[in-house]
Amino acid sequence: MIYDLIILGGGPAGYLAAERAGKAGLKVLVIEKDNMGGVCLNEGCIPTKTLLYSAKIADSAAHGEKYGVKANVLLDHAVVMKRKNKVVKKLTGGVRASMKALGVEIIKAFGIIKGQSADGYTVDANDTEYIAKRLLIATGSSPVVPPIPGVDTGLKSGAVLTSTEALALTEVPKSFVVIGGGVIGLEMAGYFNSAGATVTVIEMLDKIGGSIDDDIAKKLQSNLEKKGISFKLGCKVTKIDNGKVFFEANGEIDSVDGDKVLLSIGRRANTAGIGLENIGVVTEHGAIPTDEYQKTNVPEVYAAGDVDGQSMLAHTAYREAEVAVNNMLGEHDSMRYTAVPAVIYTNPEVAGVGMTEAMAKEKGMDVTVKTVNMNYSGRYMAENEGGDGVIKIVVDNQSNKLIGVHMIANYASEIIYGAGLMVEREMTVNEIKKIIFPHPTVGEIIREAIFQL
């Protein structure tokens, strides 16, 4: 049988593309070596958010006296994990049901591209060859394992973990060391801190949160430190040995004990061993470069999701998949990365979209930056006793357009899409002033910041 489309990978890019293509009437085959839903549904986005919600409830109850509520709190990790597994099972089952309803076929196998013929591209899965007119490569990414002495031994013994193993822990460790202060590292640090572990985060840079706004990063660190999380910034891990993590800071070697050590220093595209060289697909730094239509250098071969190395976020993968399928169907569509929201689901949450102040100034842009305390929102003040959240907006003075919004506050993850729409549509300050925000909401802080310019 010849398919219209074979998709390698059943993660966010793969299954969303399969849904869109199947709904359009294409004959689609998805080849996925593990579980449908990819890292996001099984080992990333959804499992971590399930854990973090339990942590948020526990934190709220533990500090409820500020709101007139007193309680003795116990976070039962076993119950949390059981619920996490239930949520994952339900969502992955939903993906499979959707595929079946749309006539999409699924094969659990490691797909390898074998070559091209007059009929299309040939892919081997479980020693059976399948042919399609076009391919979508959506094989995702894997955690980076750095060549730190002792890492391999630690991984074998279970003392060192990637996010996959951390999300399967049956007990909360007494001490938990996180190597890497990016999104995943901070979220895992937040959960295990709330669950009772002593948590230390070691980060090579002088700030946490990766590319988030510098001021927001400092405020997030301050909030997490108040919860008891320790940070070692500007530090390079040099060795892991018998539960000790050694690191260099200012030319001196120090160490911290960890019953469990999480490696969280980034992810790399899964391109090895899938046969890209058999059809001449180019890779750069291990990822597959694509144009704005998600096309690779080979005709009718597309790539989407983490594997293209552009923006390793599930929601970016969704949009890339849509762009790829739309172009397969002859509908002009193109990918833009100027307004991709980014969120850290800690407590409090951090969210941002568009340019930060530092990015804009690095480009030599003339901008106005306004930082407003979240307490200008009545809803925020009502729900956050002693809260120190802020919103920071960046406006291009030449065009008077909003080019960046960054915030730290509860509900930040739910508010940021509206800010993203404003940035994506290149709205001016005067246009935003005419938008009616519901009151009282935390989201109307955007309006407040705009009117304070």
Side-chain angles (χ1 to χ4, degrees):
M1 179 184 294
I2 297 179
Y3 295 86
D4 295 309
L5 171 64
I6 290 179
I7 301 173
L8 295 184
Y15 75 72
L16 195 283
E19 287 182 358
R20 298 290 187 266
K23 191 172 184 178
L26 298 187
K27 184 66 176 174
V28 182
L29 172 65
V30 177
I31 302 174
E32 166 58 53
K33 65 182 178 66
D34 293 317
N35 297 314
M36 289 297 293
V39 170
C40 182
L41 258 62
N42 294 281
E43 308 163 354
C45 319
I46 301 303
T48 55
K49 304 315 165 282
T50 307
L51 267 60
L52 287 167
Y53 185 68
S54 293
K56 183 181 289 187
I57 293 175
D59 289 346
S60 297
H63 302 286
E65 70 277 0
K66 295 186 293 184
Y67 306 90
V69 180
K70 296 182 180 180
N72 293 319
V73 181
L74 171 66
L75 187 152
D76 191 328
H77 180 69
V79 175
V80 173
M81 295 298 285
K82 184 177 180 180
R83 179 173 180 270
K84 181 264 293 184
N85 293 336
K86 181 184 72 173
V87 170
V88 169
K89 184 177 179 180
K90 188 171 183 178
L91 287 173
T92 53
V95 170
R96 283 188 169 276
S98 176
M99 298 293 101
K100 184 177 180 180
L102 292 167
V104 175
E105 295 181 44
I106 301 172
I107 295 176
K108 189 168 185 178
F110 186 87
I112 302 174
I113 304 167
K114 305 302 289 186
Q116 182 182 13
S117 66
D119 293 325
Y121 295 97
T122 301
V123 179
D124 179 88
N126 290 336
D127 296 322
T128 301
E129 291 190 342
Y130 301 87
I131 299 174
K133 299 174 184 176
R134 56 183 70 86
L135 300 176
L136 173 64
I137 302 166
T139 45
S141 64
S142 300
V144 171
V145 178
I148 298 171
V151 163
D152 289 340
T153 301
L155 286 169
K156 291 176 182 177
S157 69
V160 177
L161 319 167
T162 67
S163 57
T164 300
E165 293 82 38
L167 284 166
L169 286 175
T170 56
E171 296 181 354
V172 176
K174 290 183 179 180
S175 56
F176 190 67
V177 178
V178 180
I179 301 176
V183 176
I184 298 173
L186 293 175
E187 291 181 355
M188 297 302 290
Y191 172 74
F192 282 104
N193 165 253
S194 296
T198 300
V199 179
T200 303
V201 177
I202 304 174
E203 168 58 49
M204 186 179 293
L205 301 177
D206 60 0
K207 58 169 280 195
I208 63 172
S211 61
I212 67 172
D213 177 86
D214 293 349
D215 295 328
I216 300 290
K218 291 176 183 177
K219 193 166 284 289
L220 175 61
Q221 181 179 335
S222 175
N223 273 268
L224 295 179
E225 285 175 335
K226 289 176 184 176
K227 292 176 180 292
I229 298 175
S230 299
F231 290 90
K232 306 292 183 182
L233 304 185
C235 298
K236 180 181 179 181
V237 175
T238 58
K239 183 175 66 173
I240 300 174
D241 184 27
N242 291 326
K244 274 190 178 294
V245 180
F246 295 84
F247 57 91
E248 182 180 351
N250 299 318
E252 297 184 0
I253 298 296
D254 200 350
S255 67
V256 61
D257 293 325
D259 293 326
K260 296 292 182 182
V261 179
L262 173 66
L263 293 177
S264 183
I265 62 170
R267 301 182 67 85
R268 61 164 56 95
N270 292 330
T271 55
I274 61 174
L276 296 177
E277 67 281 0
N278 294 331
I279 57 172
V281 174
V282 169
T283 61
E284 291 180 4
H285 307 294
I288 302 174
T290 59
D291 62 15
E292 66 268 34
Y293 311 117
Q294 298 306 129
K295 296 179 179 180
T296 70
N297 64 301
V298 177
E300 297 300 336
V301 178
Y302 298 75
D306 287 4
V307 76
D308 69 13
Q310 286 288 332
S311 170
M312 291 186 172
L313 299 169
H315 45 277
T316 306
Y318 286 147
R319 179 62 189 139
E320 289 175 341
E322 289 173 338
V323 169
V325 172
N326 285 340
N327 281 286
M328 292 177 197
L329 298 171
E331 177 185 335
H332 178 77
D333 197 1
S334 60
M335 187 67 200
R336 285 163 48 92
Y337 296 94
T338 54
V340 176
V343 181
I344 304 177
Y345 294 86
T346 44
N347 186 15
E349 295 179 345
V350 167
V353 66
M355 289 191 183
T356 63
E357 177 182 7
M359 291 174 187
K361 290 183 176 179
E362 188 175 328
K363 287 180 173 290
M365 299 178 68
D366 177 22
V367 296
T368 294
V369 179
K370 185 67 179 180
T371 301
V372 175
N373 192 295
M374 279 286 176
N375 283 319
Y376 275 91
S377 159
R379 171 80 180 276
Y380 178 85
M381 183 177 286
E383 297 183 3
N384 292 271
E385 182 66 29
D388 64 350
V390 298
I391 184 173
K392 189 173 183 180
I393 63 173
V394 185
V395 174
D396 177 14
N397 290 331
Q398 186 173 355
S399 63
N400 202 35
K401 293 176 180 177
L402 182 68
I403 61 171
V405 178
H406 309 275
M407 65 182 79
I408 177 169
N410 56 334
Y411 306 120
S413 61
E414 300 292 344
I415 299 168
I416 201 64
Y417 91 93
L421 180 61
M422 297 171 190
V423 174
E424 177 67 33
R425 301 305 297 174
E426 299 182 339
M427 295 182 70
T428 65
V429 168
N430 291 334
E431 288 171 334
I432 298 171
K433 285 181 177 180
K434 297 175 183 178
I435 296 176
I436 299 174
F437 288 79
H439 176 79
T441 59
V442 181
E444 62 185 326
I445 195 67
I446 297 175
R447 173 182 169 84
E448 185 66 38
I450 289 291
F451 272 97
Q452 286 198 30
L453 284 171

